[in-house]
């Protein structure tokens, strides 16, 4: 696997960062209280990701799971006893949060239950075609995939495994999850879908849900057309965020970093800084030791509940701009935000918006509540 290596700036030393932070908080007890809540949440949540099944009830165009051969890479395990033992081992090892993906988790609810009954914080990623019941899954955060918006979503996602197409996938998801506080739509933006961004976000608002932005594109070159496309997408995403600040939980700084792949300090998102890797894999030894932070103990497991996967998504680092990987990059990047009180507040806003995505986090602090203050 070819992994692009970028030259990135070095953050302040630990001693320098501590001194800067101490100075910024000296006369700002409000910031100190917010930081304490954020750090407390970070301590409580030690995460992993699990591919529950290799099966799915649709075939989205460009799906990294099937195009990357993840459905055939390992032999799927369905034995409930083995799955429960795996969940219990995670808990014994100090894991408190699992993101359950697939395939499609809602078609194997018997595999979801052991995690719900064992770990305090569960996030389930779904295509929305089937509902996740509320009974027994009351505190599960539900992330619903959405590509492009409008008719583009059906064109990209509404395809059955047998090759036939259907319509109304987004509408089905809205119907399943009306006024459901567990739900965040994960909306992948594209230039082709620009006319549909605002109407789609409005429909999510009217349905009583919230949305975070995702972004897929090819990022291997600095072709002028690509940059111009990014500018249009960024402008529309920021405009819609301003119109629907309570519905779009993504912070404006995050939106810009997601679409451009860059931070204000000159850092560029890529493998050398992405923290969302299975840290125990030998392939990552050089990355783990390069001085950039990783998610402590993070691991991604295949559907055999044993094999470690490369990272939280496809492993195609050159073309990746996964929203949660970018958010994690910014979350572990506090030291880059210590040059002023304003910058520190931006990082806190970013971190709070990250936690607002997940229903189980919204009960932990007023700053993570579902209806944030105006940003």
């Amino acid at each position: 696997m070819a992994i692009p290596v970028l030259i990135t700036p070095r953050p302040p030393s630990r001693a320098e960062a501590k001194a800067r932070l101490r100075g910024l908080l000296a006369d700002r007890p409000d910031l100190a209280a917010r930081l304490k809540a954020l750090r407390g949440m970070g301590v409580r949540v030690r995460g992993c990701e699990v591919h529950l099944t290799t099966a799915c009830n649709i075939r989205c165009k460009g799906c990294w799971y099937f195009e990357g051969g993840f459905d055939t890479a390992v032999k799927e395990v369905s034995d409930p006893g083995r799955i429960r033992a795996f969940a219990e081992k995670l808990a014994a090892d100090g894991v408190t949060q699992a993101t359950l993906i697939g395939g499609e988790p809602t078609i194997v609810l018997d595999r979801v239950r052991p995690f719900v009954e064992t770990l305090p914080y569960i996030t389930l990623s779904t295509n929305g075609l089937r509902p996740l019941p509320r009974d027994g899954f009351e505190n599960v955060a539900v992330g619903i995939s959405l590509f492009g918006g409008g008719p583009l979503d059906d064109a990209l996602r509404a395809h059955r495994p047998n090759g036939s197409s259907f319509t109304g996938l987004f509408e089905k998801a809205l119907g399943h999850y009306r006024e459901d506080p567990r739900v965040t739509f994960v909306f992948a933006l594209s230039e082709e879908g620009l006319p549909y961004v605002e109407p789609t976000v409005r429909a999510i608002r009217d349905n009583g849900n919230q949305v975070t932005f995702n972004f897929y594109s090819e990022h291997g070159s600095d072709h002028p057309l690509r940059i111009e496309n990014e500018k249009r997408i960024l402008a529309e995403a920021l405009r819609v965020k301003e119109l629907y600040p309570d519905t779009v939980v993504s912070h404006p700084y995050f939106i810009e970093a997601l679409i451009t792949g860059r931070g204000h300090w000159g850092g560029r998102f890529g493998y050398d800084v992405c923290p969302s890797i299975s840290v125990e894999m030998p392939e990552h030894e050089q990355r783990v030791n390069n001085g950039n932070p990783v998610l402590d103990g993070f691991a991604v497991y295949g559907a055999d509940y044993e094999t470690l996967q490369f990272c939280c998504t496809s492993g195609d680092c050159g073309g990746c701009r996964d929203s949660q990987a970018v958010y994690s990059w910014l979350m572990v990047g506090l030291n880059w935000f210590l040059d002023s009180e304003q910058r520190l507040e931006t990082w806190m806003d970013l971190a709070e918006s990250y936690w607002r995505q997940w229903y189980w986090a919204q009960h932990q602090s007023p700053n993570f509540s579902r209806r944030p203050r105006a940003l």
Side-chain angles (χ1 to χ4, degrees):
M1 181 181 299
I3 300 172
V5 178
L6 304 173
I7 298 175
T8 58
R10 288 291 177 186
S13 68
R14 182 175 298 182
E16 184 181 3
K18 287 180 69 174
R20 288 187 190 179
L21 185 59
R22 191 163 49 245
L24 291 172
L25 296 178
D27 299 317
R28 293 293 304 271
D30 58 323
L31 294 185
R34 289 174 66 189
L35 184 60
K36 182 179 180 181
L38 287 165
R39 284 179 162 170
M41 194 69 196
V43 168
R44 287 192 294 274
V45 177
R46 182 182 174 194
C48 73
E49 184 174 284
V50 184
H51 297 196
L52 282 191
T53 176
T54 61
C56 188
N57 48 6
I58 61 173
R59 290 293 186 273
C60 303
K61 291 184 178 180
C63 173
W64 62 263
Y65 189 80
F66 289 99
E67 290 201 355
F70 287 85
D71 58 319
T72 58
V74 300
K75 187 175 181 180
E76 178 176 318
V77 168
S78 60
D79 178 67
R82 286 181 61 183
I83 296 171
R84 183 168 294 277
F86 173 76
E88 291 173 350
K89 183 179 186 306
L90 289 177
D93 290 342
V95 173
T96 60
Q97 187 272 336
T99 298
L100 307 179
I101 68 171
E104 173 52 43
T106 62
I107 65 176
V108 287
L109 292 182
D110 57 325
R111 304 182 199 180
V112 177
R113 288 190 180 92
F115 295 93
V116 173
E117 294 167 358
T118 305
L119 301 176
Y121 309 126
I122 299 296
T123 302
L124 182 140
S125 178
T126 177
N127 57 42
L129 186 57
R130 284 193 183 186
L132 179 72
R134 297 205 188 195
D135 186 22
F137 305 96
E138 294 88 351
N139 295 317
V140 174
V142 181
I144 304 177
S145 298
L146 174 61
F147 291 179
L152 186 56
D153 186 63
D154 277 346
L156 294 173
R157 294 200 304 138
H159 305 279
R160 299 183 181 90
N162 65 9
S164 64
S165 300
F166 60 100
T167 60
L169 179 53
F170 174 52
E171 289 74 18
K172 285 181 182 293
L174 291 174
H176 293 327
Y177 294 103
R178 182 168 180 78
E179 298 294 344
D180 192 333
R182 300 175 301 170
V183 168
T184 299
F185 281 86
V186 183
F187 186 0
L189 303 175
S190 68
E191 188 191 19
E192 189 178 353
L194 283 182
Y196 313 124
V197 176
E198 184 182 346
T200 301
V201 169
R202 187 188 312 119
I204 291 169
R205 181 204 61 184
D206 293 345
N207 206 59
N209 309 125
Q210 62 183 21
V211 62
T212 189
F213 288 144
N214 204 353
F215 182 58
Y216 293 109
S217 185
E218 291 297 329
H219 306 289
S221 72
D222 286 328
H223 190 280
L225 179 60
R226 179 186 66 80
I227 294 172
E228 187 60 33
N229 292 347
E230 284 185 357
K231 289 180 179 178
R232 284 194 285 268
I233 297 169
L234 176 59
E236 180 63 3
L238 292 175
R239 185 185 74 84
V240 173
K241 166 64 182 178
E242 187 172 357
L243 283 175
Y244 303 95
D246 291 344
T247 303
V248 180
V249 295
S250 303
H251 188 275
Y253 186 103
F254 163 77
I255 294 171
E256 185 164 356
L258 174 74
I259 293 173
T260 67
R262 298 182 183 275
H264 68 273
W265 64 93
R268 184 173 178 181
F269 182 72
Y271 174 73
D272 62 324
V273 298
C274 179
S276 304
I277 56 174
S278 291
V279 295
E280 297 298 327
M281 289 187 74
E283 293 94 322
H284 293 311
E285 182 178 3
Q286 185 175 356
R287 161 66 188 91
V288 170
N289 294 320
N290 73 359
N292 295 308
V294 295
L295 299 179
D296 184 37
F298 185 73
V300 183
Y301 297 94
D304 60 356
Y305 303 95
E306 179 179 335
T307 303
L308 286 176
Q309 305 296 306
F310 190 80
C311 67
C312 71
T313 181
S314 67
D316 179 12
C317 299
C320 178
R321 200 68 60 74
D322 178 76
S323 63
Q324 299 312 306
V326 173
Y327 246 133
S328 295
W329 172 51
L330 298 174
M331 289 278 285
V332 301
L334 170 61
N335 289 356
W336 289 115
F337 291 78
L338 300 179
D339 50 337
S340 69
E341 286 184 10
Q342 182 179 11
R343 194 77 78 182
L344 176 59
E345 286 190 82
T346 295
W347 182 86
M348 290 183 182
D349 287 341
L350 271 169
E352 288 165 0
S353 72
Y354 171 81
W355 293 118
R356 286 186 195 115
Q357 297 175 107
W358 314 127
Y359 182 60
W360 44 262
Q362 295 164 16
H363 306 289
Q364 303 296 318
S365 166
N367 292 333
F368 309 152
S369 63
R370 186 168 183 267
R371 296 300 182 195
R373 62 189 180 282
L375 299 176

